[in-house]
Amino acid sequence: MKLKKLLLLLSLSYFCSFTIEAQSLKSSELDVLEYHVNLEPFFSKNTIEGSVSIKFKTAAQTEKVVFDSGELIVTKLEGKQAKKFTQKGQKTTISLVPNENNIYELKLYYKGSPKKGLVFINNSQKLYTAYFTSDWMICNMAPNDRATLKLDLLVPKEVLSVASGNLKSTTQIGDKVRYSWSQDYETPAYTYGFAIGNFNTLEKDHNGIVLKYFSEEYTKKELHQIFQYTENMMMFFKEKTGIPFPQEAYSQILIGNQYQEMSGFAVLKELYGNLVLKDSTETNLISHELAHQWWGNMVTCKNWNHLWLNEGFATFMSAAYNEYKFGAEKYQANINSYKRVYERIKSKGRDKPLVFKRWSNPSGDDRNLVYFKGAYVLHLLRQELGEEAFWGGIKYYTQTYYGKSVTTKDFQLAMEKSSKKSLDYFFKKWVY
């Protein structure tokens, strides 16, 4: 029964994260190097005002560039190389003065009332980002475009801010505080996010990494119990990859009604804490989001057609952690559940390759395939290769493409090179 509850949580919450439309730009057209965002939320009106400075380069000389802007309204454009802007739908087009090195810098001022990307909670001074980064900052949402981030948040002084990157400073400005966050390693824009609230907090040190737990509803003692295995999970993923967690702090926040990995932190549904307090082994969602710090945030699908490389991996890795911590029976129960989801879809005639021809307006079954068939296929690959070759291949794949974007072919070739075995038959049968 508990496992059914877990699968329901996955179905209702994870899957809204990638109903994102196919990226607007080809990977060759635009490469954002860095974003610097200044943002202020207004809780009484559920609105925001802000600006974003964007440094980017293009593959060739061009007279215009297009960014994703959700429903944000651009109020002003600055930059010597920027001539004018137009907005249509959820895109903002900038007319440019071409230059020889194809590197540009511009600044956009904007305001808006986000409908999807920001969740304001009950007119309180509490909110969090959810999936659609372009709803709160103008950016390029293509998953293969990685950039660094600076984020300045101006919030009421009685609340706390958590965001992607490391906290560099806090500055009091009247009755508000500016939190300045900086992420000096590149990740896709969809991984950026923040949360604001009057949280109870708990901090722990894990080998020099500060683990931070936040909630308005749970006590520090309960937070300790809910996240008691986070240190162990971090050790497990480091062992399986040979790569440590990439920044000096990792935060987990129980808030609202969604689950999402973001660069350097995770948001988990507030009521999920009750499930873990009742059964401390129900940690799949915690380990799933932490797994994304390696598979998803740092080794990222090149486009949404290969989304299973993000979500299938994280789902499988949560089961693998359960095996490591709680035993083979727990792992097998997870795998059996994933298999049942897949077989139910197959029995309806709705099975598809894990590499989608186009990830646009995916159905619930499509999303289930990405998560659960993806995880089940990784389990089958483990059986095909054996323990040493499989985990050696996972480590080789992760290290080879860490900080890069990948396709399924990259994964197959990495596993073949590591295992010294052709996997054409396996991938044709289960993946393509």
Side-chain angles (χ1 to χ4, degrees):
M1 190 67 184
K2 287 173 185 170
L3 209 50
K4 285 183 181 177
K5 246 185 221 181
L6 170 64
L7 294 175
L8 181 62
L9 288 172
L10 284 164
S11 299
L12 293 177
S13 302
Y14 285 159
F15 297 153
C16 56
S17 64
F18 287 103
T19 56
I20 300 170
E21 63 200 65
Q23 67 257 35
S24 61
L25 301 172
K26 294 179 181 178
S27 60
S28 60
E29 291 181 337
L30 177 62
D31 177 14
V32 177
L33 304 174
E34 57 188 58
Y35 296 101
H36 187 173
V37 180
N38 284 273
L39 198 67
E40 181 176 5
F42 297 92
F43 295 94
S44 62
K45 298 181 288 185
N46 290 359
T47 62
I48 57 171
E49 291 184 13
S51 66
V52 56
S53 298
I54 309 174
K55 183 177 181 179
F56 62 94
K57 64 181 179 180
T58 57
Q61 286 195 1
T62 182
E63 294 183 354
K64 68 177 182 178
V65 66
V66 182
F67 290 100
D68 299 291
S69 52
E71 296 182 15
L72 296 171
I73 300 169
V74 176
T75 57
K76 185 180 178 183
L77 169 66
E78 290 181 347
K80 292 180 180 179
Q81 300 153 314
K83 294 161 63 177
K84 64 178 182 178
F85 70 89
T86 58
Q87 291 193 279
K88 185 177 181 180
Q90 298 190 346
K91 308 291 182 184
T92 297
T93 301
I94 313 293
S95 297
L96 300 171
V97 179
N99 63 38
E100 290 183 0
N101 61 12
N102 301 322
I103 296 178
Y104 303 85
E105 294 185 56
L106 55 83
K107 186 173 186 178
L108 293 158
Y109 295 81
Y110 58 88
K111 62 183 179 179
S113 304
K115 302 295 189 297
K116 298 180 296 185
L118 271 183
V119 180
F120 288 85
I121 301 178
N122 298 329
N123 295 317
S124 64
Q125 292 184 331
K126 185 162 62 171
L127 65 81
Y128 60 96
T129 55
Y131 317 125
F132 299 92
T133 306
S134 59
D135 250 25
W136 56 270
M137 64 173 276
I138 296 165
C139 60
N140 180 18
M141 285 291 285
N144 63 332
D145 190 3
R146 315 170 73 86
T148 61
L149 173 70
K150 291 181 180 178
L151 175 60
D152 292 334
L153 293 170
L154 189 62
V155 303
K157 65 181 180 182
E158 59 268 22
V159 299
L160 299 175
S161 154
V162 183
S164 296
N166 295 313
L167 181 61
K168 294 301 183 181
S169 66
T170 58
T171 307
Q172 187 162 338
I173 303 171
D175 60 351
K176 298 191 175 185
V177 175
R178 183 176 64 215
Y179 286 79
S180 296
W181 301 85
S182 180
Q183 179 183 292
D184 58 7
Y185 59 94
E186 296 182 338
T187 60
Y190 81 86
T191 68
Y192 305 156
F194 62 90
I196 296 168
N198 186 15
F199 302 119
N200 296 322
T201 65
L202 179 66
E203 293 188 9
K204 296 186 70 178
D205 177 80
H206 169 67
N207 297 329
I209 298 169
V210 181
L211 303 178
K212 301 180 181 182
Y213 313 137
F214 298 85
S215 171
E216 196 168 277
E217 300 299 322
Y218 298 96
T219 65
K220 288 187 177 184
K221 183 178 179 181
E222 288 171 328
L223 285 170
H224 179 269
Q225 187 174 344
I226 292 166
F227 295 115
Q228 62 182 296
Y229 297 123
T230 297
E231 290 180 79
N232 194 242
M233 291 172 187
M234 197 167 276
M235 290 173 60
F236 175 74
F237 294 133
K238 179 183 176 182
E239 176 189 329
K240 290 303 182 188
T241 62
I243 301 171
F245 181 75
Q247 65 181 53
E248 62 193 38
Y250 177 63
S251 299
Q252 293 168 294
I253 309 165
L254 290 158
I255 187 174
N257 289 303
Q258 274 118 354
Y259 299 87
Q260 190 191 0
E261 79 286 355
M262 283 170 268
S263 184
F265 77 102
V267 164
L268 300 140
K269 187 175 181 178
E270 198 158 59
L271 290 176
Y272 173 61
N274 291 332
L275 181 64
V276 183
L277 289 173
K278 290 175 183 175
D279 183 347
S280 63
T281 70
E282 291 298 324
T283 58
N284 287 70
L285 296 170
I286 297 171
S287 55
H288 179 109
E289 304 303 0
L290 180 56
H292 271 310
Q293 302 299 321
W294 285 264
W295 302 282
N297 293 3
M298 296 307 296
V299 181
T300 312
C301 61
K302 190 165 285 187
N303 58 57
W304 304 123
N305 301 339
H306 298 269
L307 181 58
W308 85 279
L309 294 174
N310 291 20
E311 299 301 345
F313 262 74
T315 305
F316 171 79
M317 289 298 170
S318 68
Y321 174 75
N322 280 346
E323 179 184 42
Y324 167 79
K325 185 63 182 177
F326 306 118
E329 186 176 341
K330 183 81 170 177
Y331 170 79
Q332 197 59 52
N334 286 167
I335 297 300
N336 290 343
S337 294
Y338 305 158
K339 182 182 179 183
R340 284 195 295 272
V341 173
Y342 167 55
E343 289 181 337
R344 198 157 51 239
I345 297 169
K346 190 176 180 182
S347 70
K348 294 187 290 185
R350 295 177 183 171
D351 188 18
K352 293 180 182 178
L354 283 173
V355 179
F356 279 69
K357 289 183 179 179
R358 188 181 179 195
W359 186 259
S360 180
N361 298 317
S363 68
D365 285 337
D366 291 341
R367 299 180 188 111
N368 275 321
L369 288 171
V370 163
Y371 284 76
F372 301 120
K373 180 183 178 181
Y376 179 58
V377 166
L378 287 172
H379 165 74
L380 295 178
L381 183 59
R382 182 183 184 182
Q383 290 185 319
E384 175 79 17
L385 293 177
E387 291 298 287
E388 185 176 349
F390 175 78
W391 287 112
I394 293 296
K395 181 175 285 188
Y396 176 77
Y397 164 70
T398 309
Q399 292 183 354
T400 300
Y401 294 105
Y402 191 76
K404 300 176 183 178
S405 300
V406 290
T407 65
T408 299
K409 193 65 176 178
D410 295 324
F411 173 56
Q412 179 183 341
L413 291 174
M415 297 302 286
E416 287 179 337
K417 186 170 183 179
S418 177
S419 65
K420 298 179 173 60
K421 180 178 180 178
S422 173
L423 293 171
D424 271 347
Y425 172 77
F426 181 91
F427 274 78
K428 284 176 182 176
K429 179 180 179 181
W430 288 107
V431 179
Y432 297 115

